Amino acid sequence: MNPDQIYKACVTGMGVITPIAIGIPAFTEALKKGKSNFAIKEYTVEDRTFNYIYGKVENFDLKKSIADSEFEEHWKLKINRLRDISSSTAYGIFCALEAWHNAKLPLTIDKSKIAIVVAGSNTQQQYCQEIRDTYKSKMQFMKPSYGFNFLDSDMIGVASELFEITGEGFTIGAASASGNMGIIQACRLIENNEYDVVMVIAPMMDLSVFEYQGLSALGAMQPIASAIDEVPLYKPFDIDHGGFIYGQNAGAIILESKEYAQQRKAKVFGTISGYGVTLDANRNPNPSVDGEQRAIAKAMQKAGILPEQIDYINAHGTGAKLGDHTEVEALINLQLKNKPINSTKSLIGHGITAAGTVEAIASLIQMNGNFVHESLNLKTPIDYPMDWIQSYRDLHSIQYTLSNSFGFGGINTAIILEA
């Protein structure tokens, strides 16, 4: 066997929570139907009202969701004993459990040969704000658990205790590229033959009013008037695109070395065959054609494929005017024009730090199901020679997918998924 092939990372388990579905089976059907679920979140700050659009997860409760699931009984007992975790961590734990369950990892697996990579930083903003508001006039009664569960590393602690993992764990922050960066770092651990299995968890980035307002003031998030009659549409790549809309998303994947997956005859949903990361040498949020282009080129080079071999592009596609144009220009410069392209964010919103992981999951679902989902609200695409996916397409065979994620601070990532 070619050594380069042994250490390619195979995806053997996936778990997801999105505004349109909880769990892989429901998410698959929702993608096919082109569903969305956007709502208005209202905050009152010092007698002033602030409204924001968001992709809303309906009525998620970790303990109830696990109790109603097909997961093994011992997981249900462990979850029932969990205390004092944030919504962000709860979302991540559900996804991790679903991914572990789907991967069917053996009970005898060496837990010291498993690592945890948490994709995202600063993911618990709403939880932290609620605690501060609750205790600001009675600081002496602050609950002690806040001293550790405000940290991003709490996600590692909860997951490692739950799964009894004793390898290594760390969080990785790369703004909106965090989800992809978590996958990339997991691949590197496997390629270096350090771990047989890596769990990537992208917990929900739970925004408070300050993040909503900051992103709106920046001009990145789609603004709305204080008084509205209906929820505005989210339109990535449409000529009427007006900024991104946040969505409550979380995801997790189990990655294994090809050798280990073959040894245990695991079902493989796909392989991460290439990835690329670049920086723009720019602190600001504006994107760069050159930076994005170099990241995509690196990913294709590592995968050993040519532009004509890409069958589908899951775009970063945030709906920001400059961002949409920049991404497509980078693609066309790399001879990727007229490729089938959609934006999963049009259905589920922008999960920010979780986006790349959830979109990799959406890509793998489409690759395994031989379909591509609709880019919602794409009535009049921006004027570029791309194969815009404006309606659901069945019987669409995909061997290679390009999935892009770009973050503020000039962080560019791209991964190649192979069937």
Side-chain angles (χ1 to χ4, degrees):
M1 185 181 294
N2 184 335
D4 291 336
Q5 294 297 316
I6 290 175
Y7 299 116
K8 279 191 174 181
C10 299
V11 179
T12 59
M14 303 185 291
V16 74
I17 297 176
T18 75
I20 60 175
I22 296 172
I24 296 297
F27 188 42
T28 301
E29 292 308 306
L31 288 173
K32 290 179 178 179
K33 293 176 181 177
K35 290 179 62 178
S36 68
N37 187 38
F38 292 99
I40 302 298
K41 183 176 284 288
E42 182 177 288
Y43 288 96
T44 301
V45 181
E46 296 183 349
D47 299 325
R48 293 193 63 187
T49 298
F50 297 87
N51 291 315
Y52 309 97
I53 323 167
Y54 76 117
K56 180 182 180 182
V57 173
E58 300 284 355
N59 304 318
F60 173 72
D61 179 271
L62 175 62
K63 293 182 179 180
K64 185 177 187 307
S65 295
I66 297 298
D68 294 343
S69 74
E70 297 179 353
F71 302 165
E72 294 81 356
E73 283 301 317
H74 66 276
W75 296 124
K76 297 178 182 181
L77 292 172
K78 283 190 169 186
I79 290 297
N80 201 45
R81 292 195 291 267
L82 276 178
R83 297 289 184 274
D84 289 329
I85 62 171
S86 67
S87 294
S88 174
T89 300
Y91 276 57
I93 284 299
F94 175 89
C95 296
L97 272 170
E98 185 182 26
W100 186 282
H101 176 77
N102 290 342
K104 296 181 172 60
L105 290 166
L107 294 175
T108 56
I109 189 171
D110 183 354
K111 302 293 181 66
S112 69
K113 291 292 288 181
I114 304 177
I116 300 171
V117 178
V118 173
S121 57
N122 308 312
T123 62
Q124 307 184 80
Q125 299 301 308
Q126 177 63 18
Y127 172 79
C128 291
Q129 189 60 44
E130 288 172 357
I131 296 294
R132 291 165 188 154
D133 289 345
T134 299
Y135 290 97
K136 65 183 178 181
S137 61
K138 47 182 178 180
M139 293 289 286
Q140 67 273 28
F141 299 113
M142 172 77 76
K143 58 165 139 180
S145 59
Y146 183 74
F148 59 81
N149 61 16
F150 79 94
L151 296 166
D152 293 322
S153 57
D154 195 41
M155 182 77 255
I156 300 170
V158 175
S160 62
E161 181 177 318
L162 181 66
F163 296 102
E164 300 176 356
I165 291 170
T166 58
E168 68 181 79
F170 54 87
T171 63
I172 189 157
S176 296
S178 297
N180 260 8
M181 195 71 84
I183 293 170
I184 290 166
Q185 293 301 327
C187 289
R188 288 169 171 164
L189 290 174
I190 289 171
E191 288 169 352
N192 291 336
N193 197 22
E194 296 185 52
Y195 293 94
D196 298 322
V197 179
V198 182
M199 175 187 288
V200 180
I201 307 173
M204 175 182 64
M205 186 168 201
D206 197 13
L207 303 185
S208 77
V209 65
F210 296 99
E211 288 72 53
Y212 277 108
Q213 188 60 23
L215 289 165
S216 297
L218 192 62
M221 185 178 282
Q222 184 169 322
I224 59 173
S226 57
I228 56 170
D229 296 322
E230 58 184 28
V231 179
L233 299 177
Y234 190 15
K235 299 182 174 183
F237 297 118
D238 192 89
I239 60 171
D240 289 330
H241 47 187
F244 83 79
I245 296 177
Y246 162 72
Q248 295 177 317
N249 289 278
I253 62 173
I254 300 292
L255 289 169
E256 303 181 36
S257 70
K258 192 168 186 177
E259 182 182 43
Y260 187 72
Q262 288 177 342
Q263 282 178 358
R264 70 181 196 89
K265 299 179 180 178
K267 178 180 178 180
V268 174
F269 295 98
T271 300
I272 312 298
S273 60
Y275 53 80
V277 182
T278 65
L279 294 175
D280 293 337
N282 178 20
R283 175 197 178 191
N284 296 311
N286 54 298
S288 158
V289 173
D290 177 69
E292 294 181 11
Q293 187 174 316
R294 287 186 293 113
I296 297 166
K298 278 188 174 183
M300 290 193 295
Q301 182 180 23
K302 184 171 179 62
I305 61 172
L306 299 171
E308 54 264 32
Q309 292 176 268
I310 297 291
D311 303 301
Y312 159 63
I313 299 169
N314 189 290
H316 184 55
T318 64
K321 292 181 180 181
L322 181 57
D324 284 356
H325 285 276
T326 299
E327 182 173 11
V328 178
E329 287 176 21
L331 293 169
I332 290 173
N333 289 348
L334 289 168
Q335 309 305 313
L336 288 166
K337 66 180 181 180
N338 296 320
K339 294 288 184 180
I341 181 172
N342 61 13
S343 171
T344 301
K345 291 181 180 72
S346 69
L347 280 66
I348 63 175
H350 189 344
I352 308 182
T353 53
T357 302
V358 174
E359 288 159 20
I361 291 168
S363 297
L364 288 162
I365 287 172
Q366 292 173 94
M367 294 170 76
N368 281 270
N370 295 311
F371 73 93
V372 285
H373 71 72
E374 172 185 2
S375 249
L376 211 58
N377 306 316
L378 185 55
K379 304 304 180 186
T380 308
I382 55 178
D383 189 18
Y384 290 94
M386 300 299 292
D387 182 9
W388 304 106
I389 302 171
Q390 295 176 264
S391 60
Y392 170 75
R393 297 182 189 177
D394 202 356
L395 303 176
H396 186 102
S397 180
I398 306 170
Q399 183 177 4
Y400 291 103
T401 291
L402 166 65
S403 184
N404 296 327
S405 283
F406 312 121
F408 287 177
I411 304 171
N412 308 297
T413 68
I415 61 174
I416 302 294
L417 300 147
E418 180 179 354

